[in-house]
Amino acid sequence: MEFVSGYRDEFLDFAALLFGWFRKFVAERGAVGTSPEGRWRQLEAQIRRLPQDPALWVLHVLPNRSVGISLGQGAEPGPGPGLGAARLLGDEPPLHLRDLSPYVSFVSLEEGEEGEEEEEEEEEEENGEEEGAGTKKVETEENGELAPSSRESPQEATPPGEPEEAKQEAGGGEDGQEDRAEDEPGPERRKGRRSDAAPLHLSCLLLVTDEHGTILGIDLLMEGAQGSTGRGSGAENLAPRAYALLCHSMVCPMGSGDPRKPRQLTVGDAQLHRELENLVPRLGVKLAKTPMRTWGPRPGFTFASLRARTCHVCHRHSFEVKLTPCPQCGAVLYCGEACLRADWKRCPDDVSHRFWCPRLAAFMERAGELATLPFTYTSEVTSETFNKEAFLASRGLTRGYWTQLSMLIPGPGAPRHPRGSTPSLSLLLHGDPYQPFQGDGPALMPPVPPDSPRGLFGSWQDYYTWRGLSLDSPMAVLLTYPLTVYYVITHLVPQSFPELNIQNKQSLKIHVVEAGKEFDLVMVFWELLVLLPHMALELQFVGDGLPPESDQQHFTLQRDGPEVSVRPCSGVSARLSSGTKEKGVRRDLQIKVSARPYHLLQGPKPDLVIGFNSGFGLKDTWLSSLPRLQSLRVPAFFTESSEYGCVMDDQTMAVATGGGTSPPQPNPFRSPFRLRAADNCMPWYCNAFIFHLVYKPSQGSGARPAPGPVTPAPTPTAPPAPARRRRGEKKPGRGSRRRR
């Protein structure tokens, strides 16, 4: 895969960003800390000349007392290549958090019980942030001011005025190594090896943000293995280390924007505030008169989605180098002409940018069309600078199914997000089938209309009007899955396979292949009973990414007059009010789960196959599952998050079966949220395009497959000349690509 935008867990990009910034900070802090005092004076003079940020900056001191890091199979503590940015941003980066589970897990230092979270080390930082924030608020209420936080810290780089500590820094260099060990969860996987070391303890986190939550810098204070005193434990002075972090955050802000200094700085620790009183004014920055006492994280505060980009070739971040898009297609980001030329001449030719450049330019022409949606918040959520975390937090969408859209991750001991039939049933036992959709405010879903739909819905506007939803409602982000199924049944199958007469069927058996996130949102498919009241539907979720404990589970959602009942395979049932009096016979929705690749599934032939954001080139199992679909020859529809993905799926289908795919078309029920892209500027949306498989004709049938995607423009012979400033010419949209 050339591009993994839209397929990769956003938190992995976030972790890679933290890794990259922290590594750069450690290297430059060591260089400054071991150089003569004049180097510090030069850096301070540079910062004094920086433009002023009108926003307030906050230095958080977040202690972590309860969560440790356990390095599993193939991981070991200490300096080394580790996972790090190379693992997270390399040629074959992991796509899901579970891909890192052999390397890293978390343990409770209080109970000594290992957490089974499938996360990397940077998730520990987030848990530390949330836990530290809560501790800070308690101390404020009890003591009237913030109590000094944990002072366990390694040796720190030292600004002028601390000559003894500077000599210690110059004599060792251990700090960079230990921080690098913390930065990287562990080295690359080694077969048959497992670390027996005690858990590592991140004792404290120094975090610089602005008042809006944008992360500008981070420093990690490692104590070492559990039970050990750890180097630097005790009441050491944090001021030199915090001062170095502040300087680096101003010269090289992690989040976004040019180098700048804050108008004012506040510190979340009383003792550290006193120690910085004589240092911060050297930078031309005003320090608040008193330490932060009542300030948050407030109820509406959230750490903003970071927009730092990376070079498509060398993976360096925008805080390290200046990135510019290809001047010809405007789709792919490069740090300079050298990386552009290297990508232009890659072999084989069909993975080179020379081959894809005109194609990406054509794909980007759809950007405006994809961003044309009827919602009041459309301009915000389709922007390249869309801050998803702030959007969700500002609307109170921080629980239930909404957590599946956020980067917030539960720590050890926290209740996991319900997966499988039994937890989903427990959510419904409170009496509201739409409870998993609920946020912190008023009900998001109105009562079901008493009358069945009189026509077919072909747009969000039509559906929202009939369903009684305001165009300010964000429910489309969750309902994209059932509405896409509805659109396939009512529009696409009748157009492409009219002989099936699918709209007159009273029951349908549908396979949802390579299911993932959509299974975590399984109750959204209850809306199909509202949209198709005359049909009994069976959805079977299939895929080896499903939780093994859900394998072979089966339950039924029933609409019977004014009630909805949920009946698992054991025969236990729960009856729930749907808030409507409905006419007609009872219909139900059966949910089945098979945690295995599709080609290993045994059972009756389905009426329809659907896959969401499929990415055929991402998993080898598709090379077996597609031939299985070829043998079944059932209508199979798939969505993709970009038009580039549709082209790659067509190529994979040709390799696997000799068939192809139909020309993709925009999905009117795509998600309105624009997905983050790190190394390109293209627009990605969940379920953006739809196509169906075109099977290879049977021998002797004489039938010809439907035409594939339109032939793109000819491939240019020379790389485009780089523009002087930013882009040399205006480009209509963005695209993305991947390599098989």
Side-chain angles (χ1 to χ4, degrees), residues 609-621:
V609 170
I610 291 179
F612 297 101
N613 305 299
S614 46
F616 291 169
L618 289 170
K619 291 187 66 175
D620 292 340
T621 53

Side-chain angles (χ1 to χ4, degrees), residues 411-692:
R416 301 291 302 276
H417 179 76
R419 300 189 74 171
S421 64
T422 303
S424 298
L425 292 179
S426 67
L427 282 177
L428 290 177
L429 293 180
H430 294 83
D432 183 3
Y434 292 108
Q435 184 187 6
F437 310 164
Q438 187 59 34
D440 294 331
L444 294 176
M445 288 296 289
V448 176
D451 297 323
S452 301
R454 296 184 178 180
L456 300 179
F457 304 128
S459 68
W460 282 121
Q461 178 90 46
D462 295 340
Y463 167 75
Y464 263 49
T465 300
W466 173 79
R467 198 61 174 82
L469 287 164
S470 165
L471 290 178
D472 191 55
S473 170
M475 281 302 302
V477 183
L478 297 179
L479 293 174
T480 178
Y481 295 102
L483 267 295
T484 296
V485 176
Y486 166 83
Y487 184 68
V488 169
I489 294 174
T490 58
H491 288 75
L492 300 186
V493 173
Q495 292 174 8
S496 303
F497 304 92
E499 67 279 5
L500 297 180
N501 197 22
I502 194 170
Q503 289 179 300
N504 293 327
K505 290 181 176 291
Q506 294 187 351
S507 64
L508 281 179
K509 184 188 297 291
I510 302 173
H511 285 178
V512 182
V513 297
E514 292 298 333
K517 180 180 292 186
E518 56 272 17
F519 176 69
D520 290 337
L521 306 174
V522 64
M523 298 312 301
V524 303
F525 292 96
W526 187 86
E527 189 69 7
L528 288 172
L529 295 180
V530 178
L531 292 165
L532 301 170
H534 64 287
M535 282 188 180
L537 300 174
E538 177 185 304
L539 293 183
Q540 184 164 0
F541 293 86
V542 187
D544 56 358
L546 295 172
E549 63 271 16
S550 299
D551 189 33
Q552 300 303 310
Q553 288 188 348
H554 176 199
F555 64 96
T556 302
L557 306 181
Q558 292 181 337
R559 297 189 68 197
D560 189 5
E563 294 184 331
V564 176
S565 65
V566 183
R567 179 169 49 84
C569 57
S570 61
V572 180
S573 63
R575 306 194 71 80
L576 309 163
S577 172
S578 65
T580 181
K581 294 183 179 180
E582 185 182 357
K583 302 176 182 179
V585 297
R586 180 179 69 187
R587 298 299 180 190
D588 57 25
L589 172 63
Q590 296 188 54
I591 304 293
K592 295 182 178 180
V593 185
S594 297
R596 65 199 66 188
Y598 189 73
H599 63 278
L600 299 180
L601 178 68
Q602 301 294 326
K605 181 178 178 179
D607 299 301
L608 179 65
V609 170
I610 291 179
F612 297 101
N613 305 299
S614 46
F616 291 169
L618 289 170
K619 291 187 66 175
D620 292 340
T621 53
W622 281 112
L623 296 178
S624 300
S625 297
L626 291 174
R628 173 69 189 280
L629 291 171
Q630 168 82 27
S631 64
L632 294 175
R633 305 188 75 83
V634 297
F637 286 80
F638 295 89
T639 69
E640 274 292 1
S641 52
S642 71
E643 198 169 7
Y644 169 86
C646 298
V647 173
M648 295 305 301
D649 289 348
D650 178 72
Q651 294 181 5
T652 305
M653 179 65 177
V655 171
T657 69
T661 63
S662 66
Q665 58 178 294
N667 177 11
F669 294 106
R670 59 191 174 275
S671 170
F673 278 13
R674 181 167 180 163
L675 302 176
R676 183 184 184 277
D679 60 349
N680 63 85
C681 304
M682 303 185 312
W684 298 75
Y685 296 87
C686 179
N687 301 325
F689 290 90
I690 303 182
F691 63 87
H692 66 82

Side-chain angles (χ1 to χ4, degrees), residues 5 8 13 89 307-312 316-317 323 333 675-681 684:
S5 307
R8 191 184 193 208
D13 283 332
L89 281 175
R307 304 307 307 176
R309 299 290 185 86
T310 61
C311 174
H312 178 63
R316 286 191 291 176
H317 285 90
L323 300 176
L333 291 171
L675 302 176
R676 183 184 184 277
D679 60 349
N680 63 85
C681 304
W684 298 75

Side-chain angles (χ1 to χ4, degrees), residues 228-251:
S228 65
T229 58
R231 180 170 62 82
S233 62
E236 280 194 46
N237 187 358
L238 279 182
R241 186 154 186 158
Y243 184 74
L245 174 63
L246 288 170
C247 291
H248 198 71
S249 301
M250 297 176 196
V251 174

Side-chain angles (χ1 to χ4, degrees), residues 2-320:
E2 292 253 9
F3 295 102
V4 293
S5 307
Y7 307 98
R8 191 184 193 208
D9 287 347
E10 186 178 5
F11 196 93
L12 293 177
D13 283 332
F14 176 73
L17 172 61
L18 294 184
F19 282 152
W21 193 92
F22 181 72
R23 288 162 64 100
K24 186 176 187 294
F25 169 54
V26 168
E28 296 188 3
R29 180 184 63 192
V32 173
T34 59
S35 62
E37 185 171 321
R39 178 67 181 90
W40 273 105
R41 300 301 182 195
Q42 181 181 357
L43 181 60
E44 290 169 351
Q46 176 186 352
I47 293 175
R48 284 194 294 269
R49 293 192 296 267
L50 293 177
Q52 193 175 76
D53 187 343
L56 171 72
W57 283 24
V58 184
L59 174 60
H60 307 262
V61 183
L62 306 176
N64 168 48
R65 302 182 181 92
S66 60
V67 181
I69 305 163
S70 176
L71 302 177
Q73 182 180 6
E76 59 185 16
L83 293 175
R87 172 66 176 163
L88 293 172
L89 281 175
D91 292 334
E92 296 183 2
L95 298 177
H96 307 288
L97 291 176
R98 64 176 179 267
D99 297 336
L100 297 182
S101 59
Y103 300 97
V104 178
S105 60
F106 293 105
V107 297
S108 171
L109 298 180
E110 295 177 343
E111 302 175 0
E113 296 179 358
E114 182 171 341
E116 298 293 336
E117 306 300 326
E118 303 165 340
E119 308 148 11
E120 69 280 43
E121 186 172 328
E122 293 303 330
E123 299 167 63
E124 158 67 8
E125 299 165 19
E126 285 250 323
N127 294 331
E129 293 165 14
E130 296 176 10
E131 179 186 356
T135 304
K136 177 171 55 184
K137 294 178 72 174
V138 171
E139 294 172 346
T140 298
E141 295 175 358
E142 293 180 354
N143 304 328
E145 66 176 10
L146 286 171
S149 61
S150 172
R151 295 290 173 174
E152 294 90 343
S153 66
Q155 288 177 309
E156 57 263 0
T158 308
E162 306 287 346
E164 294 83 358
E165 296 181 14
K167 292 178 181 178
Q168 294 176 1
E169 180 77 25
E174 295 179 356
D175 181 41
Q177 293 180 347
E178 295 237 352
D179 282 331
R180 195 172 298 111
E182 206 291 328
D183 163 37
E184 300 162 353
E188 295 289 349
R189 183 179 305 185
R190 298 179 178 91
K191 295 183 179 180
R193 179 160 186 170
R194 189 172 188 87
S195 173
D196 297 325
L200 299 175
H201 181 204
L202 174 62
S203 60
C204 188
L205 179 73
L206 295 178
L207 188 70
V208 179
T209 72
D210 64 15
E211 60 184 304
H212 307 297
T214 302
I215 299 178
L216 302 166
I218 190 172
D219 195 4
L220 315 173
L221 283 66
M222 286 296 295
E223 184 176 287
Q226 180 184 5
S228 65
T229 58
R231 180 170 62 82
S233 62
E236 280 194 46
N237 187 358
L238 279 182
R241 186 154 186 158
Y243 184 74
L245 174 63
L246 288 170
C247 291
H248 198 71
S249 301
M250 297 176 196
V251 174
C252 182
M254 180 194 303
S256 60
D258 296 325
R260 59 196 184 276
K261 63 182 180 183
R263 169 185 56 84
Q264 187 176 27
L265 173 72
T266 183
V267 182
D269 181 89
Q271 181 177 340
L272 183 58
H273 179 274
R274 291 192 296 270
E275 295 167 350
L276 290 175
E277 284 180 340
N278 295 327
L279 293 175
V280 172
R282 298 180 184 179
L283 307 175
V285 175
K286 180 181 178 182
L287 184 66
K289 294 182 179 180
T290 58
M292 181 176 63
R293 289 175 177 164
T294 58
W295 191 86
R298 301 177 294 244
F301 175 85
T302 181
F303 292 109
S305 302
L306 298 183
R307 304 307 307 176
R309 299 290 185 86
T310 61
C311 174
H312 178 63
V313 176
C314 67
H315 309 302
R316 286 191 291 176
H317 285 90
S318 54
F319 56 75
E320 302 174 271

